[in-house]
Amino acid sequence: MSNQISKKAIVPASARIKTYFDTQQVTQNGAVVNFFPPNSTRKITRNNYVGNPFPGELKRRVLALSFEVTKQFIEDDEANNIDARGIVNSLKDAGCILQADNDNKEFLRVPISKHSNFSGTGMHMVAGTANTVDAPVVFKRIASLKSADEYRLADPFDLAVNQTLSLSVHFEDSSVFPSDNDWVTSGQGLLYLRASIVVAEMKPEK
């Protein structure tokens, strides 16, 4: 008995379906972010994989790929170079490349928006004033970011035992991202992007 995942991927009923994730910081002028490096940090808050290639003797079929920003909100802060709209637009305009065999085999090259929930992102104007009696009203933008959905691959693919996976996100303009110091001074914390892959793990055919 098999479970039909898509027209191009049949997963045996005995397969174990797992989601692996890795979280990487998005930094100022960091044009490329690489996910699932060979050695995991083994911090469950950041990732849950232990190595790349994945350990063990299981064959793995990659079924889905998703990205999400770990922040729920980004608030404009001109004094600390935080432009909520610019940051969101740069994230939305990024592209992702999924490869294997040390970049010799490319499985996916698409805009990150194909595998993210940016359609649920909203920009809101919030009024505020400084702590003085005659201070004028100031309006700030706040971007609200939604949690990730599961985005199945149109063409699922298999990873052989000991085959290396390579996943990278490429930004057209990474200069709009604030520096670490700007984020910290603003009190908003650093910016992280999380990549998740859904895989079916199966025993190799004899």
Side-chain angles (χ1 to χ4, degrees), residues 25-70:
Q25 185 183 350
V26 178
T27 61
Q28 189 176 64
N29 297 319
V32 181
V33 178
N34 293 295
F35 292 91
F36 300 101
N39 298 312
S40 164
T41 61
R42 301 199 178 193
K43 294 182 179 179
I44 192 61
T45 56
R46 299 284 174 86
N47 54 54
N48 69 342
Y49 77 103
V50 297
N52 184 11
F54 294 102
E57 299 299 319
L58 295 174
K59 175 183 176 182
R60 291 175 170 87
R61 183 162 295 158
V62 182
L63 306 174
L65 168 66
S66 299
F67 293 94
E68 71 174 317
V69 181
T70 59

Side-chain angles (χ1 to χ4, degrees), residues 32 85 100 128 155 170:
V32 181
R85 176 177 287 173
D155 295 300
H170 301 251

Side-chain angles (χ1 to χ4, degrees), residues 180-196:
D180 288 7
N181 185 65
D182 286 336
W183 281 119
V184 172
T185 304
S186 182
Q188 298 192 55
L190 301 178
L191 179 64
Y192 288 91
L193 187 64
R194 176 171 294 145
S196 300

Side-chain angles (χ1 to χ4, degrees), residues 152-166:
R152 293 182 177 178
L153 295 175
D155 295 300
F157 62 91
D158 290 345
L159 285 176
V161 176
N162 294 324
Q163 188 171 22
T164 302
L165 181 75
S166 172

Side-chain angles (χ1 to χ4, degrees), residues 2-13 15-17 61-64 150-157 198-200 202:
S2 298
N3 297 321
Q4 186 74 33
I5 300 297
S6 76
K7 292 181 179 180
K8 298 184 179 181
I10 295 177
V11 176
R16 179 175 60 180
I17 307 297
R61 183 162 295 158
V62 182
L63 306 174
E150 179 183 301
Y151 295 88
R152 293 182 177 178
L153 295 175
D155 295 300
F157 62 91
V198 179
V199 300
M202 304 161 283

